[in-house]
Amino acid sequence: MATEALLGVLIGNLNTFVKNEIAALSGVDSQIQELSDNLEAIHALFQDAAEEQFKSQAMKDWLKKLSDAAHVLEDILEDCSTESNRLQTEGCLARFHPKTILFRHAISKRIKDIVKRFQHIDDDRRRFQLPLGFRQRQQEDDDPRQTSSAITEHQMYGRDQDKEKIVEFLIKHASNIDGLSVYPIVGMGGLGKTTLARWVFNDERVIKHFDLKIWVCVSTNFNMMIILQSIVESSTGANPNLSTLEAMQNKAQQVLVGKRYLLVLDDVWDNVKWEDLKSVLQCSRTKGVSILVTTRDPRVASNMGTFSTHDLQPLSEDDNWSLFSHYAFGPNKEQPAKLVEIGMEIMRRCSGSPLVAKVLGSLLRNEKEEKLWLNVLESKFWDIDDDVIMGALRISYFHLKASSRQCFSFCAVYPEDFRIEKEQLIHLWMANGLIKSKGNLEVEDVGNKVWEELWQRSFFQEVEIDELGRTTFKIHDLFHELAQSIMGQECIVYDESASLTNLSTRVHHVTYLKRERDVNMDVFKKAESLRTLINLRPSEVLNYRGLPPFNSLRALRTSSSQLSALKCLTHL
């Protein structure tokens, strides 16, 4: 939810708007002042309210109402700014044009309606009895804490035996077996299943043993077409651009036949089409073909595996401390005794999760003050529910500045396990007003600093730079889950498994990842303030029907040439 930073922007814009002639001519200047006072009172307690929402449904509902109203108010103020610019350009006579008079009448009604809406929101706020000024607010104009370049793990912590067991299976036990050898790695989220599989995948012995190595991230939707396409792309380096499942199956078999290959199916959530996929994968007719499966679900592991499941255990206390201290202190750095004592207590709460050790270590990196370490240890998020890992991620999230929080939570607009282009993400932040130029820094430079902060704090991972210098990265599925829980119905990812029949009026950001040629846009007419509409397969032309007037759009990415209905994109 980008609401906290948006409230700050709105308060500033309202103070400017009071002096605007449109406010005076529309007779709403007194209401605007009242609205500004209400917003300042709400803004003062926002972070406490945002933290409280995780244990109070009433608070969560109130924040949703606040977010919806804030987006509508921003649309109104930007419409007024656009109209004011038009009047200045067209001269004095434009003020008496019927179009201008109609605008003033319409804006007066919209502002009076939104003032009433915020009055109700402020009345509800008083019921929660959150003390104003309870939290010392972090200054948004402070420079981000200086950090060194991101620390990369050049060694495994506590997984050497796991790795050796899997490598031995692949290059010895499975090498003389006919048919597929499927080896499942199972464990709860955050235990490092993907990391372990990656270490195995890149082991020199494994590289030499197999003719072909393929990595496919399956995630929540076990889609045969996408998995087979990934296999072909990984093997040939090119997208086959095939439209039917049968053609894709044939192409995959051409790539795999006669080869001893290793296929990693990472992050599998269900196996409903496993037998269909297996029939395609059995085409090699070569001994030693192996598949590694990583999953949280023991039933998936049992159903897919041809050998005993490899149950990944939490890290030992010593190994988890080694990983945590690697990120918190850096290699060969001084470790003050008092911070070590507090850090040990933090790690005892982490359930042996390497993800938590990495995230909290990144949070505390180079921090010498005991106060922040104690804040992490004593945080209320440890006790909100039984999910220790999600509690730790929330601790790290709420230690970000408000502007960085809104930039991270916006990432819910991408599908899980999607490889995100850094430059595109920064442009979307810019389009939605989540980042602004600051001092001598251009807005793109501010976006780069925010991205660097999120990367160094382990919110982003698997960073890659291609031969053209383009940076891409991923978000761990638990971080993606956190972003989704914050954004709620504000973000919709429309893929093969999603349905928009019951679209909420609250949706602000929509992403397409569908293969359908026809997409009916009528469902979006309900959206009160649609800000982002992006097609992540822009090479595939979508034939939109019934385009509604998306007046509030800030970002649009489409291959459709049928945009005649988009006549009023003043905010784009």
Side-chain angles (χ1 to χ4, degrees):
M1 186 181 294
T3 313
E4 182 176 9
L6 178 56
L7 288 176
V9 172
L10 290 176
I11 291 168
N13 290 348
L14 283 172
N15 292 334
T16 301
F17 183 58
V18 168
K19 304 169 187 175
N20 191 303
E21 66 173 320
I22 292 178
L25 292 172
S26 303
V28 295
D29 42 354
S30 60
Q31 287 101 323
I32 289 294
Q33 187 58 57
E34 177 187 352
L35 178 56
S36 180
D37 292 342
N38 283 345
L39 287 183
E40 287 187 1
I42 292 169
H43 193 218
L45 55 79
F46 185 89
Q47 182 160 337
D48 292 294
E51 294 180 7
E52 190 73 16
Q53 68 173 311
F54 292 106
K55 59 181 180 180
S56 168
Q57 184 61 45
M59 182 66 77
K60 193 168 190 174
D61 293 340
W62 179 77
L63 286 171
K64 289 177 183 177
K65 293 177 184 178
L66 175 61
S67 175
D68 295 342
H71 281 84
V72 172
L73 176 57
E74 186 183 32
D75 289 342
I76 293 172
L77 293 179
E78 291 197 5
D79 284 341
C80 289
S81 176
T82 301
E83 178 68 7
S84 181
N85 291 337
R86 183 185 72 82
L87 293 178
Q88 290 178 14
T89 302
E90 296 182 6
C92 296
L93 291 178
R95 290 166 172 76
F96 306 103
H97 193 280
K99 179 181 177 181
T100 307
I101 296 170
L102 286 174
F103 177 85
R104 288 203 304 264
H105 177 75
I107 213 69
S108 175
K109 183 178 185 308
R110 289 172 70 189
I111 287 176
K112 288 174 182 176
D113 288 343
I114 199 67
V115 166
K116 289 180 182 176
R117 189 166 170 178
F118 271 101
Q119 283 174 341
H120 292 312
I121 289 170
D122 193 49
D123 289 341
D124 289 341
R125 184 264 302 175
R126 299 173 194 276
R127 291 190 294 106
F128 294 117
Q129 298 179 342
L130 285 171
L132 292 181
F134 174 76
R135 178 181 301 277
Q136 183 179 358
R137 300 188 60 79
Q138 184 175 7
Q139 295 300 313
E140 275 300 304
D141 55 358
D142 286 346
D143 287 333
R145 176 166 50 88
Q146 294 297 309
T147 55
S148 59
S149 60
I151 296 176
T152 305
E153 292 168 64
H154 296 293
Q155 66 180 87
M156 287 195 305
Y157 292 88
R159 299 299 188 207
D160 294 299
Q161 291 183 2
D162 295 288
K163 176 188 170 185
E164 287 304 313
K165 182 177 179 181
I166 298 170
V167 169
E168 184 177 353
F169 168 82
L170 294 175
I171 65 178
K172 291 183 179 179
H173 300 307
S175 60
N176 295 314
I177 295 176
D178 293 318
L180 299 179
S181 297
V182 185
Y183 193 95
I185 305 171
V186 65
M188 66 179 185
L191 276 187
K193 299 181 295 296
T194 299
T195 301
L196 174 60
R198 193 179 296 119
W199 278 97
V200 170
F201 190 79
N202 291 297
D203 186 276
E204 284 294 331
R205 294 165 292 175
V206 172
I207 293 171
K208 292 177 182 177
H209 182 74
F210 289 97
D211 304 322
L212 183 63
K213 297 191 298 107
I214 306 162
W215 184 288
V216 178
C217 187
V218 179
S219 195
T220 54
N221 186 18
F222 198 103
N223 186 295
M224 277 275 290
M225 191 74 172
I226 293 175
I227 294 172
L228 291 171
Q229 178 179 308
S230 298
I231 289 173
V232 175
E233 284 185 4
S234 180
S235 306
T236 65
N239 187 331
N241 289 317
L242 300 172
S243 57
T244 68
L245 180 58
E246 183 176 0
M248 194 69 79
Q249 289 174 342
N250 292 335
K251 184 64 177 178
Q253 288 180 327
Q254 290 174 21
V255 167
L256 299 176
V257 68
K259 292 186 175 67
R260 180 164 63 190
Y261 65 85
L262 169 65
L263 170 63
V264 176
L265 297 176
D266 185 43
D267 195 24
V268 181
W269 285 70
D270 70 63
N271 57 294
V272 290
K273 296 182 180 178
W274 166 239
E275 292 300 325
D276 295 334
L277 178 62
K278 188 164 68 171
S279 67
V280 178
L281 298 178
Q282 288 172 328
C283 67
S284 175
R285 297 190 293 275
T286 302
K287 290 184 177 181
V289 171
S290 300
I291 299 176
L292 280 184
V293 176
T294 72
T295 179
R296 297 188 200 181
D297 192 336
R299 293 170 299 179
V300 170
S302 176
N303 291 335
M304 294 180 68
T306 59
F307 289 86
S308 299
T309 296
H310 187 101
D311 292 306
L312 201 58
Q313 299 300 313
L315 290 181
S316 69
E317 192 172 296
D318 288 344
D319 289 326
N320 219 25
W321 171 255
S322 296
L323 178 58
F324 172 82
S325 60
H326 174 80
Y327 280 89
F329 300 111
N332 305 316
K333 294 285 185 70
E334 179 188 1
Q335 299 185 9
K338 187 59 180 176
L339 298 186
V340 169
E341 181 184 342
I342 300 170
M344 287 283 196
E345 287 298 318
I346 293 173
M347 282 299 93
R348 289 189 184 102
R349 306 196 69 163
C350 291
S351 302
S353 166
L355 177 64
V356 172
K358 184 176 177 179
V359 168
L360 295 185
S362 299
L363 166 62
L364 296 169
R365 184 183 305 156
N366 297 332
E367 286 290 345
K368 305 302 181 186
E369 296 291 330
E370 293 178 19
K371 182 178 179 181
L372 179 57
W373 289 64
L374 288 171
N375 284 343
V376 171
L377 176 61
E378 297 167 358
S379 172
K380 61 186 175 186
F381 286 115
W382 293 115
D383 303 317
I384 283 180
D385 53 42
D386 295 330
D387 193 339
V388 172
I389 296 175
M390 192 58 68
L393 301 192
R394 288 171 184 151
I395 291 171
S396 187
Y397 169 78
F398 278 106
H399 276 83
L400 294 170
K401 299 192 307 298
S403 58
S404 299
R405 286 203 297 271
Q406 67 178 4
C407 288
F408 162 71
S409 58
F410 180 84
C411 294
V413 77
Y414 290 98
E416 187 176 310
D417 289 314
F418 187 79
R419 181 155 286 281
I420 302 169
E421 292 182 24
K422 174 185 174 182
E423 185 178 20
Q424 182 196 69
L425 175 62
I426 291 175
H427 286 167
L428 288 173
W429 287 345
M430 292 164 56
N432 280 279
L434 304 183
I435 50 176
K436 306 285 185 183
S437 58
K438 186 179 296 184
N440 295 326
L441 284 179
E442 296 291 336
V443 64
E444 290 92 343
D445 298 324
V446 173
N448 273 300
K449 287 177 77 70
V450 171
W451 187 91
E452 289 280 344
E453 179 189 10
L454 292 170
W455 175 36
Q456 295 204 14
R457 292 276 291 273
S458 299
F459 284 76
F460 299 154
Q461 63 176 17
E462 295 186 48
V463 176
E464 295 179 2
I465 302 176
D466 66 14
E467 64 277 2
L468 299 177
R470 291 177 299 196
T471 300
T472 62
F473 64 97
K474 285 189 175 185
I475 300 175
H476 191 282
D477 54 358
L478 288 176
F479 268 118
H480 190 267
E481 188 179 319
L482 173 65
Q484 285 183 317
S485 72
I486 294 162
M487 294 298 285
Q489 294 175 315
E490 292 185 33
C491 268
I492 295 293
V493 176
Y494 189 23
D495 60 12
E496 288 81 357
S497 62
S499 170
L500 294 184
T501 54
N502 296 312
L503 186 73
S504 167
T505 59
R506 302 193 60 247
V507 66
H508 301 310
H509 312 286
V510 176
T511 298
Y512 275 91
L513 198 67
K514 290 186 74 71
R515 293 186 171 273
E516 294 176 354
R517 290 290 176 176
D518 294 323
V519 178
N520 186 355
M521 288 289 180
D522 286 341
V523 292
F524 295 116
K525 290 181 179 179
K526 301 187 205 176
E528 191 173 32
S529 180
L530 188 65
R531 302 301 187 87
T532 304
L533 183 64
I534 54 176
N535 174 17
L536 293 178
R537 287 204 179 103
S539 60
E540 202 173 298
V541 177
L542 298 178
N543 184 21
Y544 295 146
R545 301 195 308 269
L547 280 168
F550 293 138
N551 298 348
S552 59
L553 269 181
R554 268 67 170 175
L556 173 66
R557 187 186 190 205
T558 176
S559 294
S560 175
S561 59
Q562 301 183 15
L563 300 178
S564 58
L566 297 177
K567 297 175 182 177
C568 189
L569 294 176
T570 55
H571 301 310
L572 193 69

